[in-house]
Each structure stands twice: as C-alpha cells, then as structure tokens.
Amino acid sequence: MKKIFQVILLCMFFLSSQAQQKANPRLIIRGDDMGSSQSSNLACLESYKNGIETSIEVMVVAPWFPEAARLLKENPGVDVGLHLTITSEWDNIKWRPLTHCPSLTDKNGYFLPMMWPNPNYPGLAIIENKWKLAEIEQEFRAQIEMALKNIPHLSHLSGHMGSTNFDKKVEELTQRLASEYNLTHKGDGADPDSGINGIGYDGPHKTSAEKESSFIKMLNRLEAGKTYVFVDHPALDNIEIQAVHHIGYEDVAKDRQGVIDLFTSSKIKELIREKGIELINYNDATKALPRSTPEMEKVSSKGISNYLKAVKENKQDLHSLMILRHGKVIAQSWFGDNAPNKNHIMNSVSKTFTATAIGFAVAENRLKVTDKVISFFPNDLPETISPYLAELQIRDLLTMSVGHDIDPTDKIRTQNGSWERLFLATPIVYKPGIKFVYNSMASYMLSAIVTKVTGEKVIDYLYPRLFRPLGITGAVWETSPTGINKGGFGLYIKTEDMARMGQFLLQKGNWNGKQLLPEAWFDEATSVKITQSPVWVPSNIKSKDSDWVQGYCYQLWRCRNNAYRADGANGQFIIVLPEKDAVVVTTANINDMQAEINLIWKYLLPAFE
C-alpha cells in the first residue's frame, strides 16, 4: 500500500505537467478588436470574465482605446496582445495613424480600408499602393509604445487584417520589434515555431446556433498533446455596432453577438471540462518554463514522494509546490482551489521584487545604495532631522538596519495619508546599519524611492525590465493611500512566476542569453549584510537548527545549506540552492515556517543528486 500511495503522489505532483501538456489538448481562445467600439470592449471583457476567452487583442489607434486600456488595467489577469493596425475597414467609422505615414492613408488621412485587393474598394488596399517599410516601422513603434504606456502587462503583438505578415520584410520587422520590446509576435494567430496550430469553425457559422454546433465539431477534432488557437471577434448587437459594416460584410452586429454567445455558452464550457481541454493563453504557450522529469534532471522521485507524504502527515496546509532543476520544472502541483492560473498572496516575498527594482535603478544610474533617504523626500521630513535620520541610507533600508527599536509597520500601515512622512517621523534610536529589526515599512520606503526617481510605480517599472522578459503577467500589487506600491507586501503573482523569479536569481540576472541586470548586483544582494536574530527566534537557538539566524541580505534571507530565500508570512517561499542548481517554490498557509523548511531540507535536499 505504501508503494502504491507513493506512485499516486508522483502522478499527482510531477507528472501533472506532462499529463496536461502532452495528454490533453491545449486551446487559446482569442478575442480580437478591443478598442474598436464600446460594444467590442464590453464583449471582450465579458467573454474573458464569464466565458472561455483567454487572450484579448487591443487596437490603440481605434476610438475606444482609452476605455479599453482602463478596463484591461482593471483586469490584469487577462493576457493582452497589441493588434497592430494599418487599415481601417469600416465605412461609417475610421481611424488614423499615430504618426505621419502617407503611404498607408487615403486622401482624408485615414488608414486605407483593405490589406488585400478588394473589387468593392478598387485601389484602396495596402498591397496595391507603394507602402514604405520605414513608415510602417515608425507607426508600429508608436503603437507599441502607446500600448505599453497604458497597458504595462501587454505580452505579445498580433496583426489586424494581416498587417504584420503580408510581406516578408514586414514580418521580419515585427519580429525585431517584438524582441526589442520583450514581446512575442503572434501574427494572425497561429505560430508554428511555438507549436501553436490555427483552428476554426468546423462547418457553417453565420448564426449563434451554427457557431455553437461548428465549434463543438472543432473541439472534437483537437488532438492530444497539441496546442491550438481559435480567433474570433466578440461584440454586442446594439445600436453602435449595427452601424458598423463594409461592402460584403453587412451583418456585423448579429455575427459578433454570436461570438460572445459562443464564448460564454454554458454548454461549451461544460464540454471543454468534460473533454479535459486545457484553456491557456499566449503567454502560457510561449513563455512557460521548460518541463522535464526528476530522473532526467537527476532528482530522486522517491525523495519528492517522501516529502509530500511528510507534508500530509504533518498536516501542513501547502497550497502549491514547484521544483526546478537545471532551469526546468520537474515537479508541480496545486491544492484545493489554488490553480496554475491563479495569483497567490506573496506577503513578504514582495520585498525581493522591490529590492530588484532598486537593483535596476542602480544599474541605470538613477540612484546609489549609499544615497541618503531624506534626499528623496524633502516635503515629508519632520521639523527636526535627527543625526541618525540624516545618516540613513538606501542600503540600511535594504538590510532592515534602519535603527528603529521596534518595527513601525503595524502602526503606519493602518494610517491614511503619507506613509513616507510617518516613517520619517519615527524615532531612530540606533545608528543606522548596526541593529537589525524586521521592518516592512523600510521596504515600502524603497518602493517610494523607486517611484520618486522613475515616476512609475514599482510594478510598472518592473514590467519592461523583469516581468515581460521572464513571462510574468497579471501581477497585482496593492498601493498605499498615496498610490505607492506597498513594497514589503501586497504583491499577488502565480506560482510559476515565483519560479521564474527564483531562476532569475539563480542565473544572476541572465535570461535567455540576455543579462537583464548586472551579475554584480546579485553577488551583492545575496551576501550576508547583517547577522542578528529576529525577535521571533529564541535567543538560545543554535545556528544549525534555524534558517532565521543565517544572516540577512538585500531583502533576502540566507539559509542553511548555503542557500538563500525570499519568504513571506505563512509559508510563501522562493528557495534558491546554487550548489544544486535548483529552486524550490511553495505557497501555503503554514504558521510554523521553520517546520515547513525543515521538511524541505530533510526530504528534498538529498533528492538532488
């Protein structure tokens, strides 16, 4: 029985990636043309929130883009693509380019209506005119930069009406821009290089009933182990969309209402569940960490099995687990109502992301860790500046050696108004740099400093530098009453996002062959800066028995076994083991966090051969 139990655990935990990715079809449901009308905006969001849609393409040149951007920022979990646009096909509504590009516009300055020759619009197709590649590049750049400015979690590019792949030179240009802006290019949907196969309706699809019937036939054709993308255009049949048409496509409103009916159909949702089809988005398909097995990466399956058994026997409320070896996921699972696509509270794991933002700011010469804290907050200083406050440096915030006698976080975080002012008014009774007191408000001040020197919230500052390159999307970070990301807490991301961050730390800032952040930062940030027991650790604890007395770094803890970690209350861990070339990630609700780490050391550490 014991052997059988272990086998079951193994199937549950580290064969899940292979079982889901190889045995089950994976399907991206893409809704296009958000921004083109309010009807499309509302329908795209409804199809995502209450339907099967997983990715949304938005047009920045269209008239309803401002509302679309607001709605997408309010729903950061949706995977967003920029629908690069150089045509304006409807008769009653038109859009213009963001830049001066006369080779792409008609006599009124609107984009030409068609990409390919159309007898109903003679001479008005891009392909029929002497388009200029330089003008397409300047327009694409302007659209990309406007989209990223308003929707930081944008993950990819696609082409409206074939705008990005109607010519080889344009396709090459788009690929280059995608790489430059840390995005991926998905063209009209399918992407053979990423193993994404295009698929459409299997039969007539004029009416809602026909769409549903043909979509069901399509679902029945999906093959195990393959990834597909289905593209259509949801919109509401209302007075706005009823005025939208062009010659040859007059029943736009009814057609697109049929799409939202399909995407939100309870019958379709139930069939997808019954068939085990995994709904994913483009980011899942193109930026997921590589998968392997324990044996392939020389890790003991039995060790993992014994760990999971011990977790159960010790009644630890583990929410998720992910183990990486040599940069590959070899074990993963989610418990209860937790899931791969669900964000989880990070608590103080947030601090490591804030410190990384400081690292980027240092690399960009926006600040130095020796800069005085008061220099950033001239309007928040107390009437009398004490000598110790005047001495306080950024690195004292990073190492939680501010000089406070007690942590002021609980007192400050419940207040309205400026947390910066309240922090700076808190007496500093020890010389900065010599007394460790765990201090989430110190982390908050780091966040505030990043905002001061960049003009951006930490989350927005990290998107182009860290999140998009690593494939982290849909992050949510709570803010203070003055709109600053909380820094020391309040971040919500997914388990795999934590694993990406762990691998980024392990690789000292190198990702896919690019050095995103100088290696020297990691040498500095992960080395011990101060060694004092936090208040919750008994004074007589032996070093060999505790992971809380190994030393504190830059918003990271050193661990036993020459490891280091980001950790958050109740068992959120990113544990980096350089000597094993491994990362262990957990989310949980476990009060005794030392007991949680103890099981990792007892069972998982020796599993790495």
Side-chain angles (χ1 to χ4, degrees):
M1 284 298 292
K2 181 177 179 182
K3 179 98 171 167
I4 293 173
F5 178 71
Q6 290 178 345
V7 170
I8 291 172
L9 283 174
L10 292 176
C11 291
M12 288 171 58
F13 290 96
F14 55 78
L15 295 182
S16 60
S17 60
Q18 280 75 36
Q20 291 176 5
Q21 294 180 38
K22 293 184 179 179
N24 297 338
R26 305 202 307 165
L27 179 61
I28 300 166
I29 303 292
R30 186 178 115 179
D32 281 9
D33 291 6
M34 191 171 185
S36 61
S37 65
Q38 188 183 51
S39 169
S40 296
N41 288 354
L42 298 177
C44 282
L45 258 294
E46 177 67 15
S47 297
Y48 162 69
K49 294 168 74 173
N50 296 307
I52 60 173
E53 185 184 65
T54 58
S55 289
I56 295 176
E57 309 306 299
V58 64
M59 305 163 67
V60 303
V61 298
W64 284 89
F65 172 70
E67 182 191 61
R70 175 180 61 80
L71 292 172
L72 291 169
K73 285 199 76 173
E74 291 172 358
N75 293 272
V78 65
D79 185 45
V80 184
L82 168 60
H83 216 32
L84 289 165
T85 304
I86 55 173
T87 55
S88 181
E89 67 268 32
W90 308 123
D91 288 345
N92 291 338
I93 185 171
K94 293 290 182 183
W95 34 81
R96 302 175 186 272
L98 299 180
T99 63
H100 182 63
C101 46
S103 72
L104 307 175
T105 57
D106 64 15
K107 62 183 179 181
N108 293 316
Y110 297 118
F111 278 127
L112 293 168
M114 297 293 158
M115 182 64 67
W116 309 98
N118 185 315
N120 296 315
Y121 299 88
L124 295 179
I126 295 288
I127 205 73
E128 293 176 308
N129 288 267
K130 295 181 179 180
W131 55 270
K132 296 181 179 179
L133 187 65
E135 291 184 6
I136 291 178
E137 177 170 358
Q138 73 177 14
E139 179 62 21
F140 279 4
R141 281 188 182 277
Q143 292 186 24
I144 291 169
E145 290 173 7
M146 185 171 178
L148 292 175
K149 178 181 178 180
N150 290 276
I151 313 167
H153 64 282
L154 193 85
S155 76
H156 60 276
L157 305 175
S158 62
H160 176 64
M161 296 181 69
S163 67
T164 63
N165 57 7
F166 70 94
D167 183 272
K168 183 69 173 177
K169 291 180 180 178
V170 176
E171 186 170 5
E172 291 173 353
L173 163 67
T174 311
Q175 294 286 10
R176 175 165 56 81
L177 292 175
S179 177
E180 179 181 335
Y181 288 95
N182 287 314
L183 301 164
T184 52
H185 173 221
K186 297 298 112 193
D188 285 339
D191 182 7
D193 292 339
S194 300
I196 301 174
N197 304 283
I199 197 161
Y201 295 103
D202 189 357
H205 49 276
K206 287 187 177 181
T207 67
S208 292
E210 287 178 343
K211 281 181 169 60
E212 185 173 83
S213 176
S214 296
F215 192 84
I216 289 171
K217 290 180 182 178
M218 178 273 290
L219 292 178
N220 288 324
R221 289 197 293 115
L222 301 185
E223 298 180 30
K226 290 189 176 182
T227 299
Y228 301 88
V229 60
F230 177 90
V231 179
D232 214 331
H233 307 73
L236 301 174
D237 183 357
N238 58 23
I239 192 170
E240 177 194 30
I241 204 72
Q242 288 164 12
V244 172
H245 56 77
H246 63 69
I247 300 171
Y249 184 20
E250 285 80 13
D251 295 328
V252 178
K254 289 183 179 179
D255 180 52
R256 298 196 170 188
Q257 177 68 52
V259 178
I260 184 175
D261 291 343
L262 171 68
F263 284 179
T264 58
S265 165
S266 57
K267 183 177 180 180
I268 294 296
K269 288 188 279 188
E270 181 59 32
L271 181 61
I272 287 173
R273 282 193 294 268
E274 288 177 0
K275 297 184 71 65
I277 296 169
E278 185 183 357
L279 293 177
I280 64 168
N281 58 42
Y282 276 122
N283 197 64
D284 298 330
T286 60
K287 289 192 174 181
L289 292 168
R291 263 59 178 176
S292 186
T293 63
E295 286 73 21
M296 288 290 291
E297 308 308 322
K298 296 186 177 180
V299 180
S300 166
S301 298
K302 184 177 180 181
I304 300 173
S305 175
N306 288 340
Y307 166 72
L308 295 169
K309 183 179 179 182
V311 167
K312 183 176 181 180
E313 289 174 348
N314 284 269
K315 298 181 179 179
Q316 292 185 353
D317 185 10
L318 196 64
H319 290 176
S320 69
L321 168 72
M322 188 169 281
I323 304 173
L324 281 69
R325 185 79 185 283
H326 307 322
K328 300 174 183 177
V329 178
I330 61 165
Q332 63 175 25
S333 193
W334 289 262
F335 302 83
D337 62 355
N338 298 284
N341 62 350
K342 280 189 176 183
N343 280 348
H344 195 283
I345 190 169
M346 291 294 99
N347 294 325
S348 288
V349 167
S350 310
K351 293 176 171 65
T352 302
F353 287 85
T354 301
T356 303
I358 291 288
F360 279 108
V362 169
E364 293 168 3
N365 296 315
R366 296 172 184 258
L367 53 80
K368 302 184 294 295
V369 296
T370 54
D371 286 343
K372 299 294 193 293
V373 173
I374 62 171
S375 68
F376 298 97
F377 305 100
N379 298 323
D380 292 305
L381 297 175
E383 195 169 306
T384 301
I385 300 174
S386 70
Y388 285 165
L389 177 59
E391 288 182 28
L392 186 66
Q393 299 179 359
I394 288 176
R395 63 183 174 189
D396 302 320
L397 302 177
L398 286 165
T399 59
M400 294 193 183
S401 57
V402 174
H404 293 153
D405 57 347
I406 59 172
D407 180 4
T409 301
D410 288 343
K411 181 178 179 181
I412 294 176
R413 69 190 296 182
T414 59
Q415 303 297 312
N416 291 320
S418 170
W419 288 2
E420 299 94 305
R421 185 171 297 138
L422 293 169
F423 178 91
L424 294 167
T426 302
I428 298 180
V429 300
Y430 300 99
K431 182 179 175 62
I434 64 169
K435 174 71 172 176
F436 175 83
V437 172
Y438 196 77
N439 193 331
S440 291
M441 274 301 120
S443 309
Y444 171 78
M445 295 299 287
L446 294 171
S447 175
I449 289 170
V450 170
T451 299
K452 283 284 187 180
V453 300
T454 68
E456 298 179 281
K457 294 176 183 176
V458 168
I459 191 170
D460 294 337
Y461 180 66
L462 285 178
Y463 256 109
R465 295 161 176 82
L466 180 70
F467 287 0
R468 278 202 300 276
L470 269 59
I472 297 174
T473 62
V476 176
W477 207 328
E478 296 172 349
T479 59
S480 72
T482 53
I484 305 296
N485 287 136
K486 291 180 178 177
F489 51 98
L491 177 63
Y492 293 76
I493 57 175
K494 296 178 282 293
T495 305
E496 187 156 343
D497 297 335
M498 299 170 70
R500 290 179 170 108
M501 184 60 168
Q503 191 65 30
F504 177 73
L505 292 169
L506 179 62
Q507 294 171 179
K508 295 187 175 183
N510 189 284
W511 197 263
N512 290 335
K514 294 181 180 179
Q515 195 67 37
L516 304 182
L517 187 57
E519 186 174 327
W521 172 258
F522 298 88
D523 294 335
E524 177 73 8
T526 64
S527 60
V528 174
K529 297 295 182 292
I530 191 165
T531 306
Q532 293 172 19
S533 299
V535 294
W536 60 83
V537 174
S539 58
N540 62 347
I541 194 77
K542 295 180 180 179
S543 177
K544 67 180 183 66
D545 297 326
S546 175
D547 287 281
W548 303 103
V549 297
Q550 307 302 314
Y552 198 72
C553 316
Y554 282 174
Q555 307 286 282
L556 287 162
W557 296 87
R558 292 298 304 187
C559 304
R560 291 174 291 172
N561 303 301
N562 201 27
Y564 59 89
R565 72 187 187 279
D567 78 13
N570 301 320
Q572 325 317 314
F573 285 128
I574 303 174
I575 301 176
V576 181
L577 301 99
E579 293 179 354
K580 302 295 184 180
D581 194 21
V583 176
V584 177
V585 167
T586 65
T587 62
N589 184 21
I590 300 172
N591 289 328
D592 190 345
M593 295 167 65
Q594 184 61 66
E596 182 182 358
I597 303 178
N598 287 344
L599 292 186
I600 291 172
W601 294 149
K602 184 175 181 180
Y603 296 102
L604 293 184
L605 182 65
F608 296 105
E609 298 176 17

